[in-house]
Each structure stands twice: as C-alpha cells, then as structure tokens.
C-alpha cells in the first residue's frame, strides 16, 4: 500500500508522524494501530453518548469534545408524545 504525501497530501505525513510518536513505533505500525483503534474509540464514544444518566447538555459537551476534524458526533433531543 502506498500513501501519497506529496503536494496537497503533505499533511498526511504530519498525521502519520504524530501517530508514530503517539504509539511510539514506526510509521507502518502507527497507521495499522490507528486503523484498529478508531472504530473501537468511535463505538465507545457512541456508547457513552447514549447513556441515560447524562443530561442533554452533558451529551452535547462530550460530543463537542470528542469531535475531530474528520469525525464529528452530533447529539439530538427528541420528544415523543403519545395520545391514547
């Protein structure tokens, strides 16, 4: 696999370097580690945001904190009225 890092894609090199520093490993292992971690972290974030013991404001603040340049979390609030 090749990842373009020239021209408009130069930012990718910085991202990969940050991942390598974060995981304290080479670039290849850093990319693989990040690919393994992201789906798990997103699933965990969704699980936290779905907790019943949080207020809407708490959920909104958590969603804002966990959102990144690429992945954003939105929290909605709905009201259901049933008429018998």
């Amino acid at each position: 696999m090749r990842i373009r890092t020239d021209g408009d894609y130069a930012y990718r090199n910085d991202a990969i370097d940050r991942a390598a520093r974060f995981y304290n490993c080479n670039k290849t292992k850093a990319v693989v580690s990040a690919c393994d971690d992201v789906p798990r972290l997103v699933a965990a974030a969704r699980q936290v945001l779905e907790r019943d013991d949080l207020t809407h404001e708490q959920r909104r603040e958590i969603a804002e904190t966990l959102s990144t340049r690429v992945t954003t979390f939105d929290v909605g609030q709905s009201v259901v009225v049933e008429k018998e």
Side-chain angles (χ1 to χ4, degrees), residues 1 13 21 24 32 35 38-40 46 60 63 72 84:
M1 174 187 302
N13 211 17
R21 285 192 303 274
N24 193 29
V32 172
C35 290
V38 168
R40 291 180 181 154
R46 285 183 178 148
R60 191 194 61 71
T72 58
E84 293 184 31

Side-chain angles (χ1 to χ4, degrees), residues 1-73:
M1 174 187 302
R2 296 178 193 269
I3 300 174
R4 289 186 61 187
T5 57
D6 61 327
D8 290 342
Y9 302 105
Y11 72 93
R12 292 176 175 173
N13 211 17
D14 293 336
I16 294 168
D17 285 339
R18 280 193 309 274
R21 285 192 303 274
F22 176 80
Y23 289 109
N24 193 29
C25 62
N26 65 45
K27 292 179 181 183
T28 300
K29 185 169 179 163
V31 169
V32 172
S33 296
C35 290
D36 285 342
D37 282 352
V38 168
R40 291 180 181 154
L41 291 170
V42 169
R46 285 183 178 148
Q47 188 175 8
V48 167
L49 291 170
E50 291 172 356
R51 287 177 34 182
D52 291 334
D53 62 333
L54 297 173
T55 66
H56 180 72
E57 182 63 21
Q58 288 171 321
R59 286 187 183 116
R60 191 194 61 71
E61 288 175 359
I62 292 168
E64 185 178 314
T65 300
L66 296 177
S67 292
T68 67
R69 179 179 62 83
V70 179
T71 304
T72 58
F73 295 91

